Each structure stands twice: as structure tokens, then as C-alpha cells.
Amino acid sequence: MVTSKRLSSPSRPLAVGMIGYASMGAAHSQAWRTAHRFFDLPVVPEMRVVCGRTPGATADAAHKLGWQSWVTSWQEVVGRDDIDVVDICTPGGSHLEIAVAALEAGKHVLCEKPLANTVPDAEAMAVVAARAAEVGVWASVGFNYRRVPAIALARQLIEAGRLGRVRHIRAQYLQDWLVDPDYPLVWRLRKDEAGSGALGDIGSHIVDLAQFLTGQHLVQISGALDTFVTQRPLPHGSPTWTDGSEGSDGMGEVTVDDAAVFFGRTDEGALATFEASRFATGRKNSIRIEVNGSRGSFWFDFESMNELHVYDGTVPAAQAGFRRILVTEAEHPYIGSWWPPGHGLGYEHTFTHEIADFVLDVSAGRQPSPSFADGLAVQRVLAAVETSSRNASRWTPVQGAGA
Ligand code: SOE
């Protein structure tokens, strides 16, 4: 049962409780700290409480990241009357339980991606979110790369018809942090906590971007997953990207994919190809997307995230070519709130934009984007990739997408 939301008035802060404080918690914290200092928001976010499992580490995180207080029980955060927003930055295995409890307690929810570890979990979350929306309680999923100004500009170009009919979507998300076989078995390599590997962690971003940019949905998928290093040392301490969980000596089994390749067809007949890998030696956080349409194309690479390369196919061939747009003009999405032209933005700004948009939407009483339904649509694509991979890469329909 979702209770109706007492709307925050401009005189009242928007009180936030964040669950989890590791890498994504740190990224969200900086965004909660800065969003209202750069964007005109009708309410000021107040970083009231952060929640973690270990008292000492959570207290340190609260101090370092700027939270007023800390607790070790997420149920306590969700149950508090003085919290308006619950920001979920925990591994995917806990998203369902926390998000549903928070929405049912009348809290707006921002949940890290991927929305859940399984389609049934994501479906349950989307159902509760839809019910909550009816009484003005909003839920959103944190696909932060939608908020790269160059990506937002590319979307505007597609919406305005500048690319014509979209024929190809080509997307890669490449990292290399697992190349070393001695890298420990952190939670992201365990199916019970992470759901899947490169597929869900970073493949989810490019699936969301493909659908967001084009407005089209993948309906059919063929894919292959692989795990190149199947045993890894159990972790000690807090290596990069972990939540600090400890293990005993010895080796453990990697239960998720290291890399995913897949391709699909959209509901409007475009062909899309995807690659997500943690074994792309030399590629640290490389997101590359190219879209080709009947009138033009664009390409983007996160390693040069302030640039968008656009080809206008209506220009006579002799003068045509990809133009590099430096996306730092005040007219460009989000940029007017930042620095003068040419003073580029970075990774952290994508989260600041995410929080600013979320606060603007919930205080205006409208659905923030992406919704849990959007998160569910991505989850269904990920599930189709897994099914296809198990079945010799056979074409697999994306459930609920009308293939
Ligand atoms: C780790 O692979 C990670 O932090 C992802 O979880 C994020 O979503 C990605 O943007 C950066 O890399």
C-alpha cells in the first residue's frame, strides 16, 4: 500500500537518505552536495542520513561525503518521517526490497542501475512504482550517461529528425579492470549480488542509451557471454569498486560474465550492435555510440565527452564530412549552469545533472526520467541476451517488447 506524498514546499528542504556509500554513493553524494549550487532548484536537498553495514566505515563515509548523520539499518531510513527521498546505491540484489519498502512508505526513490538483478524483481518494482506515481510518489533509475550534455544534444538532433530514419545503432562500453587474473573476487563478480557481470553493470548503460537516444525499443536479440577468468582470489580489505566485503584466503568462482556481445532489431527496423567488456585492455571507461540515419549520423566517445561528431547527409557530398561540435555553449543542454564555452565538464557532472533533474521533477509533481518502467525495459533486454547466449546465440524475443 503506497501512502500519498506530502509535497515539499519551497521553504522546506528535500530531505535525503542514501543507502550505500561506496563508489556510486560517493558519486551521488557529490551531486546532492552541488546540484542546488549550480541549478535553480525549488527545494534544497538536505543530506540527512547515510546508511551502511559497518558502523566505523559508515561514520567515516558520512563525514567525508557530507551527510549529517549515519545509521546501519536501511529499514530505519525508510521508516523515518523526516526523509523525503531514498537514494539506493547498493548492489542490485537489494534494490527490490529497499525500493518497494521506501515507495510504500511514501518516499521518492532514486535507484542505481541496473534496476534489479532479475526481470521478476524489476517487474515487481515497476508495478509498485506505477502505483506510487498515482499518489505523487516518484521513482527513477540512475542511468547517468543520459545526462552527458553531448548525449542530450544527440537526442535532440534525433528528435528533431536531423538523422532521418535510423538504420544503425552501434554501441560499446569498454573497461579493463579485470585483465589481471589476480584481481579479487569482488561483489560485482558474484551473481547473487550483482545479477550479471559486464552485461548488467555496463551493458545496461548502452542498452538504455540506445533506446533513449532513438526512442526505439529492442524487440529481438542474439548474443554471447563469456567469462575468461573463472576463479579469482577472495578479497581482503576494500579493493576498487567493492563495498568492502571481506573473504577468507583462497580462490572463489566467478559467477558472472566478463564480456557480452549482442545485436538486435528495434521495433522500427533498425539494427543495433553492442559490446560490453571488462577485458578491453587499455580502455578504462570508454563508451562509444554511433547512430546512422537516412539523413545523417553522429558518433560520441565518452573519453572525449564534451564533443559530439555530426554528419549532415543533406550537404552536397563534396562539402560533407563529420563536424566536431564542442558541446560547451550556454545553449547546449545543462551547460548554461556551468562554465564559459570551452571549460569542459566531467564524469561527476552527469550525476549532478541527474540529481538536478530528479529534484525538479519530483518537486513539480511529474514522473522523473528514466522511470522504473524504462529500467524494466532494459532488464528485459539483458535477460534476452542471457537466454540467447545459453541457446547457441539464437534470436530471442525481448519479453514485453512486441517482437
Ligand atoms: C563499474 O564498472 C562502474 O562503476 C559501473 O558500475 C558504473 O555504472 C559505470 O558508469 C562506471 O563503472
Side-chain angles (χ1 to χ4, degrees):
M1 161 71 103
V2 175
T3 49
S4 104
K5 183 72 195 157
R6 150 182 53 91
L7 281 180
S8 294
S9 72
S11 55
R12 191 178 170 279
L14 187 76
V16 184
M18 188 176 80
I19 321 293
Y21 56 79
S23 54
M24 281 307 113
H28 283 221
S29 297
Q30 76 76 31
W32 287 115
R33 283 195 308 269
T34 49
H36 67 284
R37 300 183 190 279
F38 286 88
F39 291 85
D40 282 332
L41 302 181
V43 288
V44 174
E46 192 178 297
M47 299 168 68
R48 201 155 280 174
V49 60
V50 63
C51 175
R53 281 179 291 198
T54 322
T58 310
D60 289 350
H63 177 69
K64 185 171 172 200
L65 301 175
W67 293 88
Q68 291 171 4
S69 64
W70 60 272
V71 294
T72 54
S73 151
W74 65 260
Q75 289 88 347
E76 188 182 328
V77 177
V78 164
R80 273 169 63 162
D81 282 344
D82 66 337
I83 296 294
D84 299 307
V85 173
V86 173
D87 182 4
I88 304 172
C89 294
T90 55
S94 57
H95 288 183
L96 168 71
E97 198 184 5
I98 303 174
V100 167
L103 289 168
E104 290 187 339
K107 317 295 181 200
H108 306 301
V109 170
L110 176 61
C111 181
E112 251 310 309
K113 46 50 62 179
L115 182 59
N117 282 0
T118 65
V119 168
D121 278 13
E123 280 170 348
M125 292 169 78
V127 166
V128 175
R131 215 183 301 139
E134 288 169 14
V135 292
V137 175
W138 305 107
S140 185
V141 53
F143 284 117
N144 58 301
Y145 295 108
R146 287 187 177 203
R147 267 79 191 191
V148 174
I151 291 285
L153 176 63
R155 185 182 189 212
Q156 288 176 1
L157 296 179
I158 292 185
E159 266 179 340
R162 295 274 299 278
L163 266 60
R165 176 148 187 205
V166 171
R167 302 291 190 195
H168 286 292
I169 305 162
R170 214 165 283 116
Q172 296 175 316
Y173 196 148
L174 308 176
Q175 298 181 337
D176 71 354
W177 56 277
L178 285 187
V179 167
D180 178 357
D182 290 330
Y183 191 92
L185 187 74
V186 296
W187 70 264
R188 288 185 191 280
L189 307 187
R190 299 203 320 254
K191 194 171 177 60
D192 55 334
E193 289 229 49
S196 65
L199 177 66
D201 184 30
I202 54 179
S204 64
H205 278 298
I206 48 178
V207 169
D208 180 66
L209 285 179
Q211 300 194 140
F212 166 71
L213 281 164
T214 61
Q216 300 186 22
H217 283 91
L218 289 151
V219 292
Q220 240 191 338
I221 291 289
S222 166
L225 303 175
D226 219 323
T227 306
F228 303 123
V229 175
T230 55
Q231 298 276 321
R232 286 184 180 271
L234 294 172
H236 298 277
S238 305
T240 316
W241 301 126
T242 74
D243 57 357
S245 59
E246 306 264 338
S248 58
D249 282 330
M251 303 289 279
E253 196 191 344
V254 176
T255 45
V256 298
D257 56 284
D258 287 331
V261 292
F262 49 104
F263 60 96
R265 294 181 206 282
T266 71
D267 46 0
E268 293 182 34
L271 278 177
T273 59
F274 300 88
E275 190 182 359
S277 178
R278 293 164 167 170
F279 271 76
T281 310
R283 301 291 172 201
K284 306 299 170 185
N285 198 49
S286 173
I287 305 171
R288 303 163 173 189
I289 299 221
E290 178 163 317
V291 176
N292 309 129
S294 53
R295 288 164 57 90
S297 297
F298 76 77
W299 68 267
F300 166 83
D301 187 341
F302 189 72
E303 289 184 355
S304 306
M305 65 168 281
N306 292 288
E307 298 174 5
L308 184 69
H309 300 261
V310 179
Y311 182 90
D312 182 351
T314 64
V315 169
Q319 292 140 42
F322 276 93
R323 268 188 316 121
R324 168 185 169 268
I325 301 176
L326 189 59
V327 189
T328 58
E329 297 295 324
E331 296 77 17
H332 287 140
Y334 302 107
I335 299 291
S337 297
W338 294 104
W339 316 116
H343 297 58
L345 302 191
Y347 174 65
E348 73 276 23
H349 296 92
T350 64
F351 294 95
T352 310
H353 301 163
E354 177 178 297
I355 296 300
D357 284 343
F358 180 81
V359 172
L360 283 168
D361 286 335
V362 302
S363 26
R366 57 174 183 249
Q367 173 63 58
S369 163
S371 64
F372 275 17
D374 296 325
L376 169 60
V378 171
Q379 207 71 43
R380 286 175 165 158
V381 174
L382 305 181
V385 176
E386 288 183 310
T387 304
S388 172
S389 178
R390 276 196 304 271
N391 292 295
S393 303
R394 263 206 300 273
W395 277 112
T396 304
V398 176
Q399 188 199 336

